[in-house]
């Protein structure tokens, strides 16, 4: 292949958030070689958080939240191969095979291939009534199908399911959320906050059914008839499946890289092959703040890991040391979580979850390990800084912030 190993620069597989940001950061960091981004989607890199929120509810025609305007990419010299799938990595020749095109040589390769939504086989008989949400295209299609008065089932009371539930309720659809676990957001929030968020949805007219799964599905009179495992039935116009995703790590796996529910990377985003890096939802890192292996699925992580990989490739290695952080917007609530919400040690809180500027601190061995806030982004930013710096808590600081030991019952405290 022409130029292999000589003119080859950085090739990025995945033109989403982490891939696009890596390309931009490389240029800002002074990288002068070629940068090629390969993406299955036809869109240039964009941010996904609006897809379950404003893209569904805005009264205007939604626009995509691009990382950069297309002219800017040309200006900084990043070449996009959109609508193209990378199909294999050849580590011997250092090249990436592309669907329907010649292979592309790399000096360094970055894998930022994200996730694919998990599917539910039992829903196959009603495939024409099923929706998934990952791309802008998915969001536009979903938007056109959420009609006032239509009935929608959201499978999975995770972040995407509940955000779409809030959006669909705003659009006057009849919304039911089906969740296999005993409470919504069970992997992210302690149970007292799950109960609170469930009440918020119920007040908006959303029905949340926990501990239930779809046993079978059939088409009936132009609708989907869902047979629930408690013996009941739901007849609906649309089913959105939001039960999480699986990391797109096939290329890395087939190339023999270390995999552990995602592509394993070190503190610089480097995989088990020193010329191959990974970033974003697909990457599994050792988190130095918490001393555990983690694969994060959040906007902030896509930003941080893109910066980590680009800084290494620009010769200014900065080891990763971030505190996990994500937010979710549901109705007029902004909920933010930093670190780990567990009740290993005393918990402190300010206000009540339904009130504005609710804040809770979670501790372990007298150190702050996690915080959750509703409508208080600044407090969560400060909490992140405290956690990152080792989590040392200052009693006067707690008082100044209005944080007091949890007043709740032992049952609530323990959950
Ligand atoms: P992606 O942005 O998904 O990009 C991966 C890209 O790689 C995709 O375009 C894919 O098509 C492409 N690709 C995969 N395989 C190949 C291949 N073989 N060849 C070429 N291209 C390939 N996070 C928050 O913190 N707060 C939020 O409120 C929030 N809301 C969200 C709402 C929705 C609906 C979604 C889907 C996500 C949300 N997130 C949120 C999460 C956040 O958007 C993701 O963590 C982030 O997009 C991850 O970036 P990524 O680059 O790893 O993956």
């Amino acid at each position: 292949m022409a130029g292999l190993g000589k003119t080859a620069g950085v090739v990025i597989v995945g033109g989403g958030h982490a891939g696009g940001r890596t390309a931009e950061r490389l240029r800002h960091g002074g990288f002068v070689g070629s940068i090629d981004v390969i993406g299955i989607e036809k869109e240039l890199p964009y941010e996904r958080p609006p897809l379950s929120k404003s893209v569904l509810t805005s009264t205007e025609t939604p626009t995509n939240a691009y990382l950069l305007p297309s002219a800017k990419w040309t200006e900084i010299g990043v070449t996009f191969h959109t609508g193209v799938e990378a199909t294999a990595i050849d580590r011997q020749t250092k090249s990436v095979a592309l669907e329907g095109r010649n292979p592309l040589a790399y000096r360094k390769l970055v894998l930022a291939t994200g996730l694919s939504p998990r599917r539910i086989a039992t829903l196959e008989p009603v495939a024409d009534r099923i929706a998934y949400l990952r791309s802008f295209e998915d969001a536009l299609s979903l938007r056109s199908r959420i009609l006032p008065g239509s009935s929608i089932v959201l499978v999975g009371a995770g972040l995407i399911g509940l955000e779409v539930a809030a959006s669909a309720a705003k659009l006057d659809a009849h919304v039911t959320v089906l969740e296999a676990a005993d409470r919504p957001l069970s992997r992210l929030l302690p149970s007292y906050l799950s109960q609170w968020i469930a009440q918020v949805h119920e007040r908006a007219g959303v029905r949340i059914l926990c501990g239930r799964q779809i046993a079978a599905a059939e088409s009936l009179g132009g609708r989907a008839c869902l047979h629930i495992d408690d013996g009941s039935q739901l007849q609906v116009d649309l089913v959105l499946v939001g039960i999480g995703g699986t990391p797109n790590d096939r290329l890395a796996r087939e190339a023999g890289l270390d995999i552990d529910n995602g592509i394993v990377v070190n503190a610089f985003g480097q995989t088990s092959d020193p010329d191959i890096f990974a970033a974003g939802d697909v990457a599994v890192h050792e988190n130095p703040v918490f001393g555990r292996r983690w694969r994060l699925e959040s906007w902030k992580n896509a930003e941080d890991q893109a910066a980590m990989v680009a800084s290494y490739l620009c010769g200014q290695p900065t080891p990763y040391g971030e505190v996990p952080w994500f937010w979710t917007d549901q109705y007029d609530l902004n909920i933010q979580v930093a670190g780990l919400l567990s009740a290993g040690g005393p918990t402190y809180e300010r206000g009540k979850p339904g009130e504005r500027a609710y804040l809770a601190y979670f501790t372990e061995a007298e150190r702050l390990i996690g915080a959750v806030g509703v409508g208080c982004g600044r407090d969560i930013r400060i909490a992140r800084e405290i956690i990152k710096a080792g989590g040392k808590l200052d009693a006067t600081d707690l008082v100044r912030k209005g944080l007091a030991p949890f007043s709740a019952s032992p049952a609530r405290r323990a959950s």
Side-chain angles (χ1 to χ4, degrees):
M1 191 196 314
L4 187 65
K6 286 189 182 148
T7 58
V10 173
V11 170
I12 300 171
V13 178
H17 190 150
R21 196 59 91 203
T22 304
E24 187 200 7
R25 291 276 187 161
L26 278 169
R27 278 293 180 252
H28 284 143
F31 181 79
V32 291
S34 63
I35 303 174
D36 286 87
V37 182
I38 303 156
I40 295 176
E41 290 182 69
K42 294 203 170 71
E43 299 283 332
L44 291 172
Y46 59 91
E47 300 183 15
R48 291 175 203 269
L51 303 183
S52 44
K53 311 171 185 84
S54 57
V55 171
L56 298 182
T57 56
S58 89
T59 49
E60 314 279 305
T61 305
T63 49
N64 207 347
Y66 294 108
L67 294 192
L68 290 182
S70 80
K72 189 78 189 162
W73 289 116
T74 312
E75 192 185 312
I76 65 173
V78 175
T79 306
F80 283 94
H81 307 258
T82 53
V84 176
E85 180 177 1
T87 52
I89 301 166
D90 185 333
R91 290 169 58 193
Q92 298 304 314
T93 58
K94 294 180 73 173
S95 65
V96 180
L98 307 181
E99 182 76 48
R101 303 212 180 172
N102 290 331
L104 205 56
Y106 65 82
R107 191 154 56 84
K108 302 288 177 192
L109 176 65
V110 181
L111 301 173
T113 44
L115 301 178
S116 293
R118 253 187 225 113
R119 292 173 182 260
I120 300 180
T122 41
L123 289 172
E124 272 312 308
V126 291
D128 58 334
R129 299 268 155 194
I130 305 303
Y132 296 88
L133 179 56
R134 184 73 193 172
S135 65
F136 185 59
E137 202 182 342
D138 294 340
L140 292 183
S141 161
L142 185 61
R143 176 188 162 95
S144 70
R145 298 171 82 183
I146 302 178
L147 304 173
S150 61
S151 65
I152 298 180
V153 159
L154 298 154
V155 186
L159 287 177
I160 289 185
L162 292 186
E163 287 184 354
V164 175
S167 299
K170 203 169 165 188
L171 295 167
D172 293 327
H174 300 293
V175 185
T176 304
V177 179
L178 273 184
E179 168 59 51
D182 62 352
R183 61 188 175 89
L185 293 173
S186 60
R187 285 190 305 136
L188 299 170
L189 297 181
S191 75
Y192 77 94
L193 285 173
S194 291
Q195 282 160 21
W196 163 69
I197 198 80
Q199 285 161 9
V200 169
H201 280 273
E202 276 153 18
R203 276 201 296 274
V206 171
R207 191 160 58 130
I208 300 190
L209 306 175
C210 289
R212 274 166 259 200
Q213 299 193 54
I214 298 169
E218 60 179 331
S219 276
L220 204 66
R223 303 177 96 197
C225 177
L226 307 179
H227 298 267
I228 313 301
D229 60 1
D230 62 3
S232 65
Q233 282 182 14
L234 290 171
Q235 289 186 26
V236 297
D237 299 303
L238 182 64
V239 181
L240 176 92
V241 179
I243 54 168
T246 45
N248 293 324
D249 57 15
R250 182 186 62 79
L251 292 179
R253 183 187 304 276
E254 290 176 2
L257 303 181
D258 283 355
I259 301 288
D260 180 8
N261 183 34
I263 307 169
V264 177
V265 297
N266 68 14
F268 302 102
Q270 204 165 32
T271 67
S272 49
D273 178 330
D275 291 325
I276 304 181
F277 295 74
D281 285 4
V282 77
V284 184
H285 71 283
E286 294 289 340
N287 191 286
V289 184
F290 290 91
R292 60 176 265 193
R293 193 171 266 197
W294 226 331
R295 191 173 61 72
L296 300 170
E297 299 171 13
S298 72
W299 180 95
K300 176 77 165 52
N301 180 58
E303 290 279 320
D304 292 340
Q305 294 197 330
M308 160 187 76
V309 169
S311 68
Y312 186 87
L313 293 177
C314 290
Q316 294 143 1
T318 313
Y320 181 87
E322 296 302 322
V323 174
W325 169 69
F326 70 85
W327 82 89
T328 172
D329 294 323
Q330 298 176 31
Y331 308 102
D332 57 348
L333 299 167
N334 171 261
I335 305 166
Q336 298 194 20
V337 173
L340 276 175
L341 306 188
S342 81
T347 305
Y348 302 87
E349 68 178 343
R350 180 182 69 204
K352 293 278 162 282
E355 296 169 359
R356 292 284 147 188
Y358 172 76
L359 178 66
Y361 269 17
F362 292 77
T363 70
E364 204 166 85
E366 295 176 15
R367 294 197 172 264
L368 183 65
I369 58 159
V372 56
V374 184
C376 54
R378 189 171 168 275
D379 289 311
I380 295 297
R381 187 171 52 69
I382 294 167
R384 266 161 49 198
E385 284 162 13
I386 298 173
I387 299 169
K388 195 171 170 179
K392 195 162 174 295
L393 279 174
D394 176 343
T396 53
D397 196 37
L398 290 176
V399 174
R400 199 166 346 109
K401 285 200 180 69
L403 284 157
F406 236 44
S407 54
S409 66
R412 176 176 160 190
R413 174 74 185 71
S415 55

